[in-house]
């Protein structure tokens, strides 16, 4: 059931060591995609390792995540793949934007994306 903002009220039944922020994000995702995203998260160490080996994959992941995941060999649910391809066809968020402050000063903002692992990945790397 959705609330007034379009979010699903049901908290997903998630097993395992998943941070609270990820659980909150999953609560806003339609239930049919929750399972697919949880399955995709299991490949996070493999994806991060591939990004460390080939930094150009990390740069390409921002604009075309579906093809990068296929290149790495990560199985992606068809619904998630379709949504990733739909989003990657509109990379307008990467273009610089100009904002006008109330004082009349113009600011040019650029998006910078950094891909990092979760705290649990850092603990595994230390061992």
């Amino acid at each position: 059931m959705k609330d007034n903002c379009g979010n699903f009220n049901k908290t997903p039944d998630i097993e395992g060591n998943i941070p609270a922020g990820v659980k909150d994000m999953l609560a806003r995702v339609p239930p049919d995609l929750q399972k697919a995203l949880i399955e995709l998260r299991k490949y996070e160490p493999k994806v991060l390792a591939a990004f460390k080996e080939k930094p150009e994959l990390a740069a390409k992941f921002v604009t075309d995540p579906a093809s990068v995941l296929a290149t790495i060999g990560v199985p992606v649910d068809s619904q998630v793949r379709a949504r990733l391809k739909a989003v990657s066809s509109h990379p307008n968020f990467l273009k610089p934007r100009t904002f006008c402050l109330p004082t009349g000063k113009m600011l040019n903002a650029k998006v910078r994306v950094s891909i990092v692992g979760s705290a649990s990945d850092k603990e595994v790397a230390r061992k």
Side-chain angles (χ1 to χ4, degrees):
M1 178 182 286
K2 292 184 180 181
D3 62 8
N4 293 337
C5 296
N7 299 324
F8 288 87
N9 293 336
K10 180 181 177 279
T11 304
D13 299 326
I14 301 170
E15 298 175 7
N17 185 16
I18 296 181
V22 175
K23 287 183 182 182
D24 293 341
M25 183 271 310
L26 286 173
R28 290 180 269 148
V29 174
D32 55 334
L33 289 178
Q34 287 176 2
K35 183 178 178 185
L37 291 174
I38 291 169
E39 288 295 317
L40 188 60
R41 191 172 187 286
K42 292 177 183 176
Y43 294 94
E44 182 180 3
K46 182 178 182 178
V47 171
L48 292 175
F51 289 168
K52 284 182 183 177
E53 279 183 31
K54 298 180 181 178
E56 65 274 5
L57 283 179
K60 186 178 177 186
F61 184 78
V62 174
T63 56
D64 191 9
S67 69
V68 171
L69 291 173
T71 301
I72 296 171
V74 174
V76 180
D77 183 71
S78 60
Q79 276 188 313
V80 174
R81 187 179 317 111
R83 287 186 182 219
L84 289 174
K85 285 184 180 185
V87 170
S88 65
S89 65
H90 304 290
N92 294 334
F93 71 94
L94 294 174
K95 294 182 181 175
R97 293 188 60 191
T98 303
F99 297 94
C100 182
L101 297 177
T103 61
K105 185 176 180 179
M106 301 295 280
L107 292 178
N108 293 322
K110 288 194 289 184
V111 175
R112 183 174 57 193
V113 178
S114 298
I115 300 174
V116 297
S118 62
S120 62
D121 291 333
K122 291 176 186 173
E123 290 174 15
V124 170
R126 286 185 205 154
K127 294 179 181 177

